């Protein structure tokens, strides 16, 4: 059973997510909370996944995120937002969020996205991530800075293959299936990728890969000739 806490300032959003997720046999919303009660609720319930509103009137969602990520057994946290170009999303991803969900996500997709989060995958719209990276290219100026490309070039060919699939949101198990690798081998590749890129999360690795142009290059390679 995947344990979930939903944090949002609107009771209607909380009850809606609770209803949808509890209808899945393997998911259980163990608590919902407004922003001010979020950290205490998570400490008490110890969920696997937290869905956290990025904009709340009583407390800043980014502040809550940082507090949750500092807990001894930090849960996976994904941000909830209304707009896929929310200006705070890149900051949240760099602060350790495992992705983001739009509040109008289709009910039949929501449960699968939470499962992906619980399994260590990245939940992030490729279209939205590209638009955000154009707006927030990060240090170095351009969206494909030389520094980012140099960090990606430290990876082996297989590690670059794995990084592309991380950026597509695949879990370790899915990557293993796609590349015909064992779970242990994929885990080793992911660890090496994070170390070589000098990032601390899969999402940060995905953002760097996008910024370095790796995903665009992978897309061109897959185009039919």
């Amino acid at each position: 059973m995947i344990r979930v806490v939903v944090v949002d300032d609107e009771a209607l959003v909380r009850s809606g997510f609770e209803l949808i997720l509890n209808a899945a046999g393997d998911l259980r919303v163990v608590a919902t909370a407004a922003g001010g009660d979020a950290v205490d609720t998570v400490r008490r319930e110890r969920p696997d996944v937290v869905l956290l509103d990025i904009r709340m009137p009583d407390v800043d969602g980014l502040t809550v995120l940082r507090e949750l990520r500092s807990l001894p057994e930090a849960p996976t946290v994904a941000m909830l937002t209304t707009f896929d170009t929310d200006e705070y999303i890149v900051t949240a991803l760099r602060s350790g969020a495992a992705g983001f969900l739009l509040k109008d996500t289709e009910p039949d997709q929501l449960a699968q996205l939470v499962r992906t989060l619980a399994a260590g995958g990245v939940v992030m719209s490729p279209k939205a991530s590209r638009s955000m990276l154009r707006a927030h290219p990060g240090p170095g100026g351009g969206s494909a800075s030389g520094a980012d490309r140099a960090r990606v070039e430290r990876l082996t060919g297989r590690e670059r293959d794995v990084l592309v699939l991380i950026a597509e949101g695949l879990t370790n198990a899915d990557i293993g299936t796609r590349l015909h690798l064992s779970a242990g081998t994929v885990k080793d590749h992911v660890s090496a990728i994070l170390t070589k890129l000098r990032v601390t999360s899969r999402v940060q690795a995905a953002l760097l890969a996008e910024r370095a142009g790796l995903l665009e290059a992978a897309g061109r390679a897959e185009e039919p000739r």
Side-chain angles (χ1 to χ4, degrees), residues 76 98-99 113 115-123 166 169-172 202-203:
T76 297
L113 293 174
R115 293 185 189 104
T116 298
L117 288 165
V122 174
V123 173
I166 289 174
L170 273 65
T171 65
N172 284 1
R202 298 165 74 97
V203 171

Side-chain angles (χ1 to χ4, degrees), residues 1-7 17-18 21-22 24-32 40-51 73-78 111 114-115 117-119:
M1 186 69 67
I2 298 171
R3 296 166 56 82
V4 183
V5 166
V6 179
V7 179
F17 272 68
E18 184 175 18
L21 294 177
N22 282 346
D26 59 336
L27 306 176
R28 177 58 55 90
V29 175
V30 295
T32 65
D40 287 341
T41 300
V42 169
R43 282 198 183 104
R44 182 180 68 249
E45 300 294 342
R46 299 175 66 181
D48 304 298
V49 175
V50 175
L51 304 181
E73 296 182 8
T76 297
V77 183
V114 171
R115 293 185 189 104
L117 288 165

Side-chain angles (χ1 to χ4, degrees), residues 6 12 15 23 43 45 53 55 62-63 66 69 72 82 90 92-93 112 114-115 122 127 144 154 172 176 190 204 222:
V6 179
L12 186 60
S15 61
R43 282 198 183 104
E45 300 294 342
D53 189 4
R55 293 174 178 261
L62 296 176
T63 299
R66 293 185 185 106
R69 294 299 300 157
T82 304
V90 168
L93 297 177
Q112 185 54 47
V114 171
R115 293 185 189 104
V122 174
K127 177 182 177 182
R154 296 191 188 112
N172 284 1
V190 172
Q204 292 170 354
E222 293 176 359

Side-chain angles (χ1 to χ4, degrees), residues 100 123-133 167-169 210 215:
F100 66 91
V123 173
M124 183 166 54
S125 160
K127 177 182 177 182
S129 67
R130 289 187 178 94
S131 68
M132 287 186 296
L133 287 164
E168 290 180 7
E210 173 70 39
L215 306 189

Side-chain angles (χ1 to χ4, degrees), residues 24-205:
D26 59 336
L27 306 176
R28 177 58 55 90
V29 175
V30 295
T32 65
D37 299 323
V39 177
D40 287 341
T41 300
V42 169
R43 282 198 183 104
R44 182 180 68 249
E45 300 294 342
R46 299 175 66 181
D48 304 298
V49 175
V50 175
L51 304 181
L52 172 63
D53 189 4
I54 202 168
R55 293 174 178 261
M56 297 178 285
D58 58 337
V59 64
D60 179 13
L62 296 176
T63 299
V64 175
L65 169 65
R66 293 185 185 106
E67 291 188 44
L68 295 180
R69 294 299 300 157
S70 69
L71 293 176
E73 296 182 8
T76 297
V77 183
M79 310 308 291
L80 296 174
T81 181
T82 304
F83 305 105
D84 61 5
T85 55
D86 192 305
E87 62 185 291
Y88 294 119
I89 288 175
V90 168
T91 301
L93 297 177
R94 289 173 178 163
S95 298
F100 66 91
L101 299 174
L102 298 180
K103 292 187 182 182
D104 61 356
T105 297
E106 292 294 329
D108 60 344
Q109 297 178 1
L110 183 59
Q112 185 54 47
L113 293 174
V114 171
R115 293 185 189 104
T116 298
L117 288 165
V122 174
V123 173
M124 183 166 54
S125 160
K127 177 182 177 182
S129 67
R130 289 187 178 94
S131 68
M132 287 186 296
L133 287 164
R134 283 195 296 270
H136 305 272
S143 61
S145 73
D148 292 327
R149 285 193 295 266
R151 288 159 77 180
V152 168
E153 286 171 2
R154 296 191 188 112
L155 305 179
T156 66
R158 179 57 84 190
E159 287 167 352
R160 284 194 287 270
D161 293 339
V162 171
L163 178 57
V164 168
L165 298 182
I166 289 174
E168 290 180 7
L170 273 65
T171 65
N172 284 1
D174 293 333
I175 293 171
T177 299
R178 182 79 68 86
L179 298 179
H180 308 290
L181 299 173
S182 70
T185 299
V186 174
K187 184 177 179 180
D188 289 343
H189 281 317
V190 172
S191 178
I193 289 166
L194 298 183
T195 299
K196 290 181 180 181
L197 296 183
R198 301 196 303 276
V199 297
T200 59
S201 75
R202 298 165 74 97
V203 171
Q204 292 170 354

